[in-house]
Amino acid sequence: MIKLFVGLGNPGPEYEATRHNAGFWWIDALSRELKAPLSLEKSYHGQVARITVNGQNVWLLKPLTFMNVSGKSVAALARFFKVAPEEVLVAHDEMDIVPGQVKLKFGGSHAGHNGLRDIHAQLGTPDYWRLRIGVGHPGVKAEVVNWVLKKPSAEHRIAIEDCIARCLKAVPELLKGEMEKATMMIHTSTPPRPKPPRKVIEPESGPPDPKTED
């Protein structure tokens, strides 16, 4: 089961609505869903919430260390409470996935994501779960930094919020350790129902207009 849910991002109002903070958006949504308000815990370098599920403690964590040293926060909490890496789920922005899609993955490389890179180093292993929230790619490598540190379009933000809401429905499975079922729920999006065709109302034919005489 997942015992530690982490959302990655950068602290501060200037970063709040940027793509790189998609992990923060997710952990905030999870906090509301579980009615588990986050509060500052300096020992773990971030905001933390704790709940009990079936007699088991579960933590929510929002590192406030800035993205590049996220592992400092994650490792501090995981080690103190003896949470194994495979019981950790990290939600983060993913440029290789389009907005509106999200993927659950275990292990693998950090793929250049600086937050994951530091978590790898601090935990000493890549073997933890990731929730990869699609934010899209600018198409040019040189624009990557500017892309993640800018706000998504209104359409993309709505798509990201929709996929975050879909992921929350899989949280009970994540808490029970039913990862295969959770993966299916997270990866499956229901396409919008097509709107019924509009009925064209033909005007009723009536008598022709009378001709006016001069």
Side-chain angles (χ1 to χ4, degrees):
M1 66 177 287
I2 300 299
K3 296 181 182 177
L4 171 56
F5 293 91
V6 181
L8 299 187
N10 285 311
E14 66 270 39
Y15 298 108
E16 189 174 346
T18 63
R19 294 179 176 92
H20 223 18
N21 275 34
F24 272 13
W25 304 344
W26 187 82
I27 206 74
D28 286 338
L30 179 61
S31 171
R32 293 190 295 268
E33 178 77 10
L34 297 178
K35 296 179 174 58
L38 296 154
S39 58
L40 182 64
E41 293 281 354
K42 292 184 179 179
S43 299
Y44 310 118
H45 316 287
Q47 292 182 338
V48 179
R50 183 173 70 177
I51 60 172
T52 302
V53 180
N54 297 326
Q56 177 66 58
N57 286 326
V58 176
W59 288 267
L60 278 60
L61 173 63
K62 192 176 180 180
L64 299 181
T65 54
F66 284 95
M67 182 68 80
N68 292 5
V69 284
S70 299
K72 179 180 179 180
S73 175
V74 176
L77 192 150
R79 286 173 184 155
F80 187 84
F81 291 109
K82 296 180 172 57
V83 178
E86 61 270 19
E87 297 170 329
V88 176
L89 183 146
V90 177
H92 64 90
D93 59 304
E94 176 58 70
M95 288 190 298
D96 290 337
I97 299 175
V98 298
Q101 292 187 8
V102 60
K103 300 292 181 184
L104 184 64
K105 175 185 177 184
F106 181 75
S109 75
H110 54 68
H113 192 288
N114 289 331
L116 297 183
R117 188 196 307 272
D118 195 58
I119 293 171
H120 275 44
Q122 294 291 336
L123 292 182
T125 178
D127 294 336
Y128 55 91
W129 290 90
R130 302 93 183 272
L131 189 67
R132 306 163 68 214
I133 302 168
V135 297
H137 196 285
V140 180
K141 189 175 181 180
E143 289 297 317
V144 162
V145 173
N146 286 334
W147 178 261
V148 296
L149 294 179
K150 284 184 179 178
K151 298 179 182 180
S153 67
E155 182 183 359
H156 282 180
R157 179 66 191 252
I158 291 169
I160 293 167
E161 295 286 358
D162 286 347
C163 83
I164 286 173
R166 187 169 77 247
C167 292
L168 293 180
K169 296 177 182 177
V171 168
E173 279 64 40
L174 295 170
L175 289 169
K176 290 183 286 189
E178 296 180 1
M179 306 307 287
E180 194 170 322
K181 186 175 179 181
T183 300
M184 289 182 63
M185 293 177 69
I186 289 169
H187 290 193
T188 303
S189 60
T190 304
R193 295 177 63 183
K195 293 181 180 179
R198 294 179 62 184
K199 292 182 179 179
V200 178
I201 301 175
E202 297 288 343
E204 294 182 6
S205 59
D209 291 337
K211 293 183 180 179
T212 57
E213 295 181 359
D214 295 330

